[in-house]
Amino acid sequence: MASQHEARNGLAGLRILLGVSGGIAAYKACELVRRLRDAGAEVRVVLTANAARFVTPLTFQALSGQPVRSGLWDEAAEAAMGHLELAHWAQHIVIAPASADVIARLAHGFATDLLTTLCLASEAPLAIAPAMNLRMWAHAATQANVAVLRSRGAVFLGPAEGRMAEPESGPGRLLEPHDIVAGLTALYGPKRLAGKRVLVSAGPTYEDIDPVRFIGNRSSGRMGFAVAQAAAEQGANVQLVAGPVHLTTPPGVARVDVRSAREMREAVMARAEGSDIYIGAAAVGDFRPHEIAPHKLKKNGGALTLSLDENPDILAGVAALARRPFVVGFAAETQNIETYARAKLERKKLDLIAANRVGEGHGFDACENEILLISRDGIERFARADKLALARQLVARIAEKAQAKNEGRGTGSESRRKLVPVRARTRTR
Ligand code: C5P
């Protein structure tokens, strides 16, 4: 996915055409213009007719410092810079917010207004930040249009999950402007994992009791999928071993689906020695029923006792390999996070462990997370942020530490220091 984005150091000097379509989230595009310019990009804004009902062209003109266009038939604007010239000017097109309608028109190659005409006439890479009602996003028609655009190389940034304009919650919200900028920067930033093979395991495992019941857990897989996406953005060749989850595969990531811990172990072990980095973000079930009943178990008026066997520890298995990759584990704890995580780091012979609090709205099944990254000689705090933003920071540090270890500099740049103060690496929101 990164191939169409020329290698450069971030967004400085990049000529970005920002398309704003109609929707209440259009107001957030104002802040996006400011942030893109802060990152050094040159921004020109094109509004759809509906977007101009929410925010005036004048606002965008003031923020971008450039004339704003919204119609194909504006003679004065055409005389200043023809629309084909504008299409050629753009080095990247970003549409934020992108409505279901714009996404549909782009997927089908319509050129019914200035924005869609520019998209068709430009060879610049396209990034789309959707914003719409959650049912519109989930609709099979929208999802099919998204798949078509992705297959042509468009990058989707979001949508985020959360509260919407209506009293509903779910995927469909426009990503926050700073997250859109982070996503674009990841496309154009230095590729810290170019040429590296990264193996990630994510999601829960299900252990069957009988043909209809299983023992599972509440892991959504979001953190592991975000880590896989962040590693792919950094240029890595990423393989993702996923337990049963309802998530779409991040672009550029090769996914293998598994169900039980033993299936996950098999899939991971088959790929571990060929990997440079293994990140075990899965919530692997510790126990499985001693045997799977061939038929649905029936009530018999009394208690049922299940006999459980312990599952193999995948992470420890990878760390014990003769040709082991750089091994990163996750620790989900409800208390004594640091102490328990450190014990796990030692016991499983890991290079790094990312510890987070679960329960009471933390970690599992949540969109946001907060992490302590612990190595043998240091600890670093990543403040609360959404999982993709956190994954990007985490992957950047993992890449740094894996390289340091490769070069014989211990587990990280601070390896010779005895104690590293806990410090916040992100803003708290
Ligand atoms: O010991 P605990 O399950 O809390 O350790 C969590 C870490 O160990 C996670 O990275 C998880 O993916 C990994 N793990 C594993 N195999 C198991 C259990 C946990 O790889 N059977």
Side-chain angles (χ1 to χ4, degrees):
M1 96 179 169
S3 56
Q4 56 172 338
H5 307 100
E6 57 174 295
R8 50 190 305 139
N9 216 349
L11 303 183
L14 190 70
R15 297 191 302 267
I16 296 179
L17 182 78
L18 173 64
V20 181
S21 64
I24 184 61
Y27 79 92
K28 286 193 186 172
C30 300
E31 193 193 336
L32 179 59
V33 173
R34 197 177 54 74
R35 286 187 178 261
L36 288 171
R37 292 191 72 194
D38 285 350
E42 252 185 87
V43 184
R44 283 175 180 261
V45 180
V46 169
L47 301 178
T48 63
N50 286 337
R53 292 169 185 259
F54 287 92
V55 188
T56 68
L58 199 59
T59 310
F60 285 107
Q61 186 165 320
L63 288 167
S64 66
Q66 298 288 344
V68 171
R69 300 223 23 199
S70 51
L72 256 174
W73 311 111
D74 179 343
E75 280 177 30
E78 272 296 309
M81 188 190 236
H83 65 272
L84 291 179
E85 216 181 318
L86 187 54
H88 187 67
W89 172 89
Q91 289 174 306
H92 196 104
I93 299 180
V94 180
I95 306 188
S99 63
D101 177 66
V102 157
I103 289 173
R105 287 189 287 132
L106 291 174
H108 296 278
F110 280 41
T112 38
D113 63 1
L114 179 64
L115 180 58
T116 48
T117 302
L118 288 170
C119 289
L120 215 50
S122 174
E123 287 175 351
L126 180 62
I128 298 174
M132 65 195 75
N133 167 275
L134 61 104
R135 277 179 297 280
M136 290 170 84
W137 172 252
H139 197 286
T142 305
Q143 288 304 309
N145 292 333
V146 168
V148 165
L149 289 168
R150 275 207 177 110
S151 73
R152 287 193 212 126
V155 171
F156 277 79
L157 303 169
E161 283 189 35
R163 210 164 48 83
M164 328 243 344
E166 313 88 68
E168 289 183 298
S169 194
R173 259 167 70 105
L174 182 68
L175 220 53
E176 290 303 322
H178 61 82
D179 288 328
I180 296 176
V181 174
L184 292 170
T185 307
L187 295 174
Y188 286 102
K191 302 280 177 257
R192 293 188 178 91
L193 290 171
K196 298 288 179 204
R197 293 152 303 176
V198 174
L199 178 62
V200 180
S201 54
T205 56
Y206 284 0
E207 305 295 344
D208 289 336
I209 297 170
D210 65 18
V212 295
R213 303 182 182 95
F214 60 85
I215 302 173
N217 62 65
R218 288 164 61 179
S219 164
S220 65
R222 284 197 198 99
M223 193 63 215
F225 273 57
V227 164
Q229 175 170 339
E233 287 173 357
Q234 290 297 334
N237 177 334
V238 183
Q239 299 193 77
L240 172 62
V241 177
V245 294
H246 303 281
L247 296 172
T248 47
T249 312
V253 167
R255 170 170 170 182
V256 185
D257 285 318
V258 297
R259 183 172 169 85
S260 67
R262 284 194 292 183
E263 278 174 32
M264 184 172 277
R265 182 176 192 277
E266 204 173 302
V268 167
M269 292 311 257
R271 294 165 177 81
E273 284 196 325
S275 300
D276 299 294
I277 298 174
Y278 171 56
I279 304 172
V284 187
D286 288 331
F287 297 98
R288 63 175 184 278
H290 181 66
E291 55 191 356
I292 303 173
H295 298 288
K296 187 178 170 190
L297 293 172
K298 294 289 178 202
K299 286 184 277 193
N300 62 5
L304 170 72
T305 304
L306 278 179
S307 170
L308 302 177
D309 292 341
E310 197 172 327
N311 272 327
D313 193 297
I314 305 171
L315 205 50
V318 172
L321 288 171
R323 283 181 40 233
R324 64 176 256 170
F326 187 84
V327 183
V328 185
F330 272 72
E333 308 289 354
T334 53
Q335 57 174 344
N336 300 335
I337 303 175
E338 188 182 337
T339 314
Y340 288 155
R342 271 197 193 286
K344 241 171 248 182
L345 180 87
E346 294 301 333
R347 192 174 69 246
K348 302 193 186 197
K349 299 192 169 34
L350 312 179
D351 293 296
L352 284 175
I353 192 153
N356 64 302
R357 183 189 296 276
V358 291
E360 295 166 11
H362 297 277
F364 278 20
D365 234 352
C367 298
E368 289 197 337
N369 211 355
E370 132 181 24
I371 277 178
L372 285 181
L373 187 62
I374 302 170
S375 63
R376 231 152 248 111
D377 35 29
I379 177 168
E380 202 171 343
R381 182 187 298 278
F382 293 79
R384 193 171 182 83
D386 71 73
K387 288 182 176 176
L388 185 56
L390 210 50
R392 286 188 176 125
Q393 298 171 65
L394 206 55
V395 163
R397 289 300 278 155
I398 291 170
E400 215 173 277
K401 285 173 176 278
Q403 190 183 349
K405 187 180 182 195
N406 241 350
E407 292 169 356
R409 289 190 280 122
T411 55
S413 50
E414 78 277 36
S415 59
R416 268 174 269 292
R417 276 185 252 152
K418 271 277 166 290
L419 191 70
V420 174
V422 174
R423 63 191 161 101
R425 286 187 60 86
T426 52
R427 83 226 143 249
T428 319
R429 291 199 280 148

